[in-house]
Amino acid sequence: MEASWRQVAGGRGRARGRATAAPSGNGIHLRGAGGGREKGSVGAVPFGASPGGVATSAASGSRHSPAGSQALQTPAASELMSQKKFEEIKKANQAAARKLVEEHFSSSSEEEGDEDFEGKQGKIVANTFITYTTQTDGDTRELERTKQYVNEAFQAGAMTCLICIASVKRNQAVWSCSGCFCIFHMPCIQKWAKDSEFLVSSVTDDDFGKRDYPWPCPKCRFEYKRSETPSRYYCYCGKVEDPPLDPWLVPHSCGQVCEREFKPSCGHKCLLLCHPGPCPPCPKMVTTTCYCKKAKPIPRRCSAKEWSCQLPCGRKLLCGQHKCENPCHAGSCQPCPRVSRQKCVCGKKVAERSCASPLWHCDQVCGKTLPCGNHTCEQVCHVGACGECPRSGRRFCPCQKSRFSLPCTEDVPTCGDSCDKVLECGIHRCSQRCHRGPCETCRQEVEKHCRCGKHTKRMPCHKPYLCETKCVKMRDCQKHQCRRKCCPGNCPPCDQNCGRTLGCRNHKCPSVCHRGSCYPCPETVDVKCNCGNTKVTVPCGRERTTRPPKCREQCSRPPTCHHTSQEKHRCHFGSCPPCHQPCQKVLEKCGHLCPAPCHDQALIKQTGRHQPTGPWEQPSEPAFIQTALPCPPLLEFQLKEKRKTFDIVSPLPCHAVGPYSCKRVCGRILDCQNHTCMKECHKVTKIDGCTGKNKAGPECLRCEEGCSKSRPLGCLHPCILPCHPGECPPCVQMLRIKCHCKITSLYVECRKITTADVNEKNLLSCCKNQCPKELPCGHRCKEMCHPGECPFNCNQKVKLRCPCKRIKKELQCNKVRENQVSIECDTMCKEMKRKASEIKEAEAKAAFEEEKRRQQAELEAFENRLKGRRKKNRKRDEVAVELSLWQKHKYYLLSVCGAVVVVFAWYITHDVN
């Protein structure tokens, strides 16, 4: 739409005619000559159709009244002039929008500049090595390594110091390894060499710092002497010290001829200017022949002077029977590949074997008779004579002290002297007499020191003595203790992994635990372009700061717009640049093809964004967003086609041909059947062949009022539906009520309460639990939750006893409360009462007699104390009271009587039940 196109441009289109288009928040306002102001829908206003349906020209500012009773027309010349000015404003806005999009999504000028620089750089490198490839036997594969170093020297930030993982700049002093040609910062490599020498000498050198220890290259481990530690900054070829910075030369180069000897040495020197990396293969031409010397000498590159004529070699093989059939080759001929039948060395077996190994041994014993005539040769298949019998001549006894001359058929006897051989311990000698076989183990007890020398112990000589003391010395890593039992002092190197994070921050040190700095990460990472066809290899850790290489391949992403293919452009990161192809979509209203540029991903400035309070507040949403814009209207006027509505005839643009609004109220009956559409005259789409003029269509307003129909009696809730036809649905609002017992809260639908009778309401108010009320008898009501008073019909079982408490029965509570039943004592109860009274009388009588005798005894004792006996015959008065039979056995009799009464009562109770 045109307003969106103007938002893309971010500018303001102003016409110098009578009508002026001013952008607003939602659309465009037209200010005509008459001072009238109408707010229209975006896109339609500038091209002649006002939002109310009045036929209006954007250039002339003419309009119709809302009633449509007047028709104002402008001259054709004024229309053409206004249209021309509008086209100019539109082109200016589109140009500004296109410029903004290009600046936001791509920096094509910078990329083209970089590509031109890379193209020139590639031509320079190609011209440098053209002499190596234009003549005979030129091979570009040998030059790739040198080209890579030269290319990295040209590129800013491509060379990396593996020690500090930082870029090597043009104005920094560097040092290049002669083994791997890796470049390091001068301070970094000096510190590395110093630390390496210090660590090695501190571990292995007794005279600390006096011996000359080598230091290794951080990458290839090539060792340098202490005297070779770099102290001055030289160019690559080593001719110039502190080479000056020259933008026309390779960084750190002196610009002179290299003149370094080729490796392997051929007698020539490098002819390139001072360069990083290894020297290329020797380009000199020499005349040389092939490996087999059969071909004529031809001129070839010195680096490829050894060549093969591909003719058969023809040299005689080691087997002496065949000739080499391989093509002309370097070095010795390969073993003969043929197979033949060959005898072993002793001649007993014949087997098919490779012709290259004619001498072989079988697994049989020789078995030939020796010159002594008594023994046979025990050697396995061998060459030559068997030799003399090993038992002939003068032989020594087992202890090697006596010598005997005996026939070979007799064994040498023992001499009887002491053996005196040194035992395995190396200290003592064998004390046995001359004997055959090994000597016994040394069993003498000696005072032994342990291996670490801290403890001594007396023990057999043949047993080693190791104490349990663990070594506390630090290993060579100076981080971990030795912890080896009975260590003699030569602690082994630390066997734990280092595990420290390397400078690349991606890997950990795989070496064993060590002192000092870890070696640089040996891994390399490929930094690729977006499509992956172009890549550059950098040391691990530099992939985060290395810029991806420029790719010359075409972008292979599918188009993001409706076109089948996008405009050709090179591989890139991020979003593709906006499509500038013509839209070519078919316009729905007129059927023409859209001539505007593709607008599926137009950049639109957001409106109504939150303005930040200050620079410290980050924006929460982007200022521009990509969105698909509708096709702009076609600006071709169709003067012949007219539409007649209420006697109004107006010329319309191609996109606006059709019925328009008359500004009257629609008045169609809405779907609610209660209200009519209050919208201005608008288009109504027919649905399912409905031809009713008063039937509302999908474009009509939707009734948003609430339902105003009366509610059922007792319902206080409004209808949940908006304005609708027919009856209201039943009210399903949940009501909270208390049950009859006033304890539980119940939730019941409103429609059930309003439509229920008395019984149904009582049933809905019941919580289905037992009534918690208490009856006059003290028991709980057994009925379910109910209204009103509880019925007095308690059927709870209660226990009732006779007056003597012996007989017990369970009866209903209501009968007991009404005194309808009672329990009387029976004959058994009376008999038990009588016996109990007799026992009590007997006990009272016995107690009385006992008390009487006790008082009599006390009286007699008192009288005896008053008679005044002599002190020597005074004795403690003792009254011998003879106990009656009842007093002696009253406790046993009471226990027996109690047991009899209990058994008799249980028996009576059991019979009654």
Side-chain angles (χ1 to χ4, degrees):
M1 303 178 77
E2 190 63 27
S4 300
W5 292 95
R6 296 186 180 222
Q7 290 178 4
V8 172
R12 297 182 179 179
R14 299 183 180 271
R16 297 183 180 179
R18 299 175 61 187
T20 304
S24 63
N26 298 323
I28 297 177
H29 300 290
L30 290 182
R31 298 180 179 88
R37 178 175 179 179
E38 297 177 0
K39 185 177 180 180
S41 61
V42 179
V45 175
F47 302 98
S50 65
V54 180
T56 306
S57 174
S60 64
S62 62
R63 57 173 182 164
H64 294 283
S65 63
S69 60
Q70 297 179 358
L72 301 178
Q73 298 183 359
T74 58
S78 178
E79 292 182 359
L80 294 177
M81 184 180 298
S82 300
Q83 183 66 26
K84 184 177 180 181
K85 291 180 179 179
F86 183 81
E87 290 293 335
E88 293 177 357
I89 296 172
K90 177 185 175 183
K91 291 180 179 179
N93 291 341
Q94 289 180 353
R98 192 178 301 109
K99 181 179 179 181
L100 177 64
V101 171
E102 291 177 356
E103 290 178 356
H104 186 270
F105 280 95
S106 64
S107 55
S108 58
S109 60
E110 294 181 2
E111 291 183 358
E112 290 177 359
D114 294 342
E115 290 172 0
D116 294 342
F117 177 75
E118 290 180 0
K120 295 178 181 178
Q121 174 186 332
K123 291 180 181 179
I124 293 174
V125 176
N127 292 333
T128 303
F129 295 100
I130 192 170
T131 57
Y132 291 84
T133 57
T134 54
Q135 299 181 13
T136 307
D137 300 325
D139 190 0
T140 58
R141 292 177 298 178
E142 299 294 336
L143 305 175
E144 291 300 325
R145 190 178 178 190
T146 306
K147 284 184 178 181
Q148 179 181 357
Y149 277 93
V150 175
N151 287 329
E152 290 180 356
F154 275 115
Q155 296 177 5
M159 291 191 298
T160 305
C161 176
L162 295 181
I163 299 177
C164 63
I165 313 298
S167 299
V168 178
K169 298 182 180 180
R170 301 172 65 96
N171 57 351
Q172 292 177 337
V174 297
W175 175 83
S176 177
C177 176
S178 60
C180 61
F181 302 98
C182 188
I183 296 176
F184 305 92
H185 291 123
M186 181 65 70
C188 294
I189 195 64
Q190 289 175 347
K191 184 176 182 300
W192 176 273
K194 184 178 180 180
D195 292 346
S196 301
E197 294 173 359
F198 175 79
L199 292 176
V200 174
S201 61
S202 63
V203 174
T204 60
D205 193 0
D206 295 334
D207 298 331
F208 181 74
K210 294 184 178 180
R211 297 181 60 184
D212 187 6
Y213 288 98
W215 56 272
C217 170
K219 183 178 181 181
C220 64
R221 308 297 194 269
F222 184 80
E223 292 187 348
Y224 293 89
K225 298 179 180 179
R226 177 184 293 182
S227 58
E228 296 176 346
T229 302
S231 59
R232 295 183 180 181
Y233 169 40
Y234 287 94
C235 62
Y236 297 113
C237 63
K239 295 179 180 178
V240 179
E241 181 181 352
D242 294 330
L245 178 61
D246 191 343
W248 301 104
L249 295 176
V250 178
H252 317 291
S253 172
C254 63
Q256 302 180 21
V257 180
C258 178
E259 293 186 352
R260 286 184 290 182
E261 292 187 359
F262 290 107
K263 295 181 180 180
S265 180
C266 62
H268 304 118
K269 295 183 179 181
C270 180
L271 301 178
L272 291 179
L273 298 183
C274 181
H275 61 89
C279 295
C282 181
K284 292 287 186 180
M285 300 297 295
V286 294
T287 302
T288 180
T289 185
C290 63
Y291 295 110
C292 63
K293 312 298 182 182
K294 294 180 180 180
K296 294 182 179 180
I298 58 175
R300 291 181 62 86
R301 293 273 183 183
C302 181
S303 59
K305 58 185 177 182
E306 296 182 353
W307 60 285
S308 172
C309 63
Q310 300 299 322
L311 296 176
C313 177
R315 283 183 286 186
K316 207 165 192 179
L317 300 177
L318 296 178
C319 64
Q321 300 178 4
H322 308 99
K323 293 183 178 181
C324 179
E325 298 178 356
N326 293 330
C328 177
H329 59 85
S332 301
C333 298
Q334 296 181 358
C336 184
R338 299 187 181 183
V339 177
S340 60
R341 295 181 61 83
Q342 302 174 4
K343 290 184 178 181
C344 65
V345 173
C346 63
K348 292 184 179 181
K349 286 188 176 182
V350 179
E352 290 187 355
R353 292 179 54 83
S354 175
C355 190
S357 56
L359 298 178
W360 63 287
H361 300 267
C362 64
D363 55 354
Q364 292 186 1
V365 179
C366 178
K368 295 180 181 178
T369 304
L370 297 177
C372 65
N374 298 322
H375 302 94
T376 58
C377 180
E378 297 179 356
Q379 299 181 24
V380 182
C381 179
H382 62 89
V383 183
C386 297
E388 297 293 333
C389 179
R391 297 171 62 89
S392 61
R394 295 176 62 84
R395 289 177 287 170
F396 287 95
C397 65
C399 67
Q400 302 294 320
K401 291 182 179 180
S402 301
R403 195 171 184 180
F404 300 90
S405 296
L406 298 173
C408 64
T409 56
E410 296 182 8
D411 294 331
V412 177
T414 58
C415 64
D417 197 356
S418 59
C419 178
D420 208 24
K421 291 181 181 179
V422 179
L423 299 177
E424 294 180 357
C425 64
I427 302 174
H428 306 99
R429 295 180 177 273
C430 180
S431 59
Q432 295 182 355
R433 292 189 177 278
C434 181
H435 60 88
R436 294 183 177 86
C439 298
E440 65 178 4
T441 305
C442 182
R443 301 185 181 278
Q444 296 189 28
E445 287 193 357
V446 293
E447 191 78 16
K448 275 197 169 186
H449 289 272
C450 65
R451 189 168 57 181
C452 64
K454 295 182 179 180
H455 304 277
T456 58
K457 185 178 181 181
R458 191 167 185 81
M459 58 187 306
C461 183
H462 68 279
K463 291 184 179 180
Y465 176 38
L466 300 177
C467 66
E468 297 296 325
T469 304
K470 292 184 178 180
C471 181
V472 296
K473 291 183 179 180
M474 302 300 291
R475 296 195 178 186
D476 56 353
C477 65
Q478 296 300 317
K479 295 180 181 179
H480 305 100
Q481 290 183 343
C482 177
R483 306 303 295 171
R484 189 173 58 162
K485 290 183 179 180
C486 197
C487 179
N490 55 343
C491 301
C494 186
D495 55 354
Q496 300 187 26
N497 289 332
C498 177
R500 287 186 290 182
T501 303
L502 298 177
C504 63
R505 303 298 179 186
N506 297 328
H507 304 95
K508 293 187 177 181
C509 181
S511 305
V512 294
C513 188
H514 58 87
R515 291 195 294 175
S517 302
C518 298
Y519 279 97
C521 181
E523 302 293 334
T524 58
V525 181
D526 292 337
V527 179
K528 300 182 179 180
C529 65
N530 189 37
C531 64
N533 294 330
T534 306
K535 64 180 180 180
V536 57
T537 302
V538 298
C540 182
R542 288 287 296 174
E543 68 275 6
R544 292 183 289 270
T545 57
T546 302
R547 188 178 181 182
K550 300 293 182 181
C551 181
R552 297 183 178 275
E553 301 292 334
Q554 297 294 332
C555 180
S556 60
R557 295 182 183 178
T560 56
C561 58
H562 66 279
H563 292 102
T564 57
S565 62
Q566 60 178 349
E567 295 176 321
K568 292 184 178 180
H569 58 280
R570 291 185 178 177
C571 173
H572 60 91
F573 288 93
S575 303
C576 292
C579 179
H580 299 291
Q581 303 180 62
C583 178
Q584 297 297 314
K585 288 183 179 179
V586 179
L587 300 176
E588 297 180 357
K589 295 185 177 181
C590 60
H592 295 96
L593 297 179
C594 179
C598 182
H599 45 80
D600 286 352
Q601 289 186 332
L603 195 65
I604 302 298
K605 184 176 183 180
Q606 293 194 82
T607 58
R609 294 175 62 248
H610 170 69
Q611 296 297 330
T613 307
W616 58 85
E617 184 177 352
Q618 296 295 331
S620 59
E621 54 186 2
F624 293 86
I625 58 174
Q626 283 185 343
T627 182
L629 298 179
C631 293
L634 190 63
L635 301 180
E636 295 182 3
F637 280 85
Q638 301 291 334
L639 300 177
K640 295 182 180 181
E641 297 185 10
K642 301 179 181 179
R643 291 293 180 267
K644 186 174 181 181
T645 305
F646 295 107
D647 299 331
I648 298 175
V649 179
S650 302
L652 301 175
C654 180
H655 71 278
V657 172
Y660 56 89
S661 174
C662 65
K663 305 293 288 184
R664 297 177 181 176
V665 178
C666 177
R668 293 175 180 266
I669 300 176
L670 300 180
D671 294 339
C672 66
Q673 303 296 328
N674 299 323
H675 305 90
T676 58
C677 178
M678 301 303 294
K679 196 176 180 181
E680 290 184 358
C681 178
H682 59 85
K683 182 180 179 181
V684 179
T685 305
K686 296 181 180 180
I687 301 176
D688 298 335
C690 181
T691 58
K693 293 184 178 180
N694 294 330
K695 182 67 175 176
E699 292 83 2
C700 292
L701 291 175
R702 295 290 180 267
C703 184
E704 297 180 355
E705 298 184 8
C707 179
S708 59
K709 296 181 180 180
S710 60
R711 304 297 296 158
L713 184 62
C715 179
L716 302 178
H717 307 106
C719 181
I720 60 175
L721 298 178
C723 186
H724 60 88
E727 298 294 333
C728 295
C731 182
V732 295
Q733 188 74 21
M734 302 300 291
L735 296 178
R736 178 181 177 183
I737 60 174
K738 288 286 186 179
C739 65
H740 298 296
C741 53
K742 307 301 181 181
I743 295 178
T744 306
S745 296
L746 303 177
Y747 292 89
V748 186
E749 292 183 358
C750 178
R751 61 178 179 176
K752 293 182 179 180
I753 292 294
T754 56
T755 58
D757 54 8
V758 178
N759 294 333
E760 290 180 351
K761 287 184 178 180
N762 291 337
L763 184 61
L764 291 174
S765 300
C766 181
C767 62
K768 310 299 182 183
N769 296 327
Q770 184 181 353
C771 179
K773 297 178 183 178
E774 187 175 308
L775 298 176
C777 62
H779 297 117
R780 184 179 175 182
C781 179
K782 295 294 184 180
E783 298 295 331
M784 194 177 295
C785 180
H786 60 85
E789 298 293 335
C790 298
F792 186 66
N793 55 351
C794 182
N795 295 326
Q796 183 75 21
K797 295 290 186 178
V798 296
K799 295 180 180 180
L800 190 63
R801 296 178 180 270
C802 65
C804 67
K805 307 299 182 181
R806 186 184 68 84
I807 301 175
K808 179 178 67 174
K809 290 185 179 181
E810 290 184 355
L811 301 174
Q812 292 183 356
C813 178
N814 54 355
K815 291 182 180 182
V816 174
R817 294 279 294 179
E818 295 174 359
N819 296 326
Q820 295 181 3
V821 293
S822 63
I823 300 177
E824 300 295 337
C825 293
D826 55 359
T827 56
M828 180 61 66
C829 294
K830 294 178 180 180
E831 182 67 24
M832 292 180 64
K833 286 182 180 180
R834 185 183 62 79
K835 290 183 178 181
S837 62
E838 289 179 356
I839 292 173
K840 287 183 179 180
E841 290 177 359
E843 290 179 354
K845 186 178 180 180
F848 179 76
E849 293 292 337
E850 178 67 23
E851 181 66 21
K852 186 177 181 180
R853 282 193 295 271
R854 187 180 62 79
Q855 292 177 358
Q856 183 65 29
E858 290 180 355
L859 182 60
E860 291 178 358
F862 181 73
E863 290 177 354
N864 291 333
R865 284 196 299 269
L866 295 177
K867 288 181 178 181
R869 297 179 182 177
R870 296 180 181 179
K871 291 183 180 179
K872 63 179 180 179
N873 295 328
R874 184 181 300 172
K875 294 181 180 180
R876 187 175 180 179
D877 296 333
E878 294 181 0
V879 180
V881 181
E882 186 178 359
L883 298 179
S884 63
L885 184 62
W886 168 253
Q887 291 177 343
K888 293 180 180 180
H889 305 287
K890 63 180 179 179
Y891 297 105
Y892 299 103
L893 291 176
L894 289 175
S895 300
V896 172
C897 291
V900 171
V901 171
V902 171
V903 171
F904 182 73
W906 176 84
Y907 179 75
I908 295 301
T909 304
H910 189 271
D911 289 343
V912 171
N913 294 334

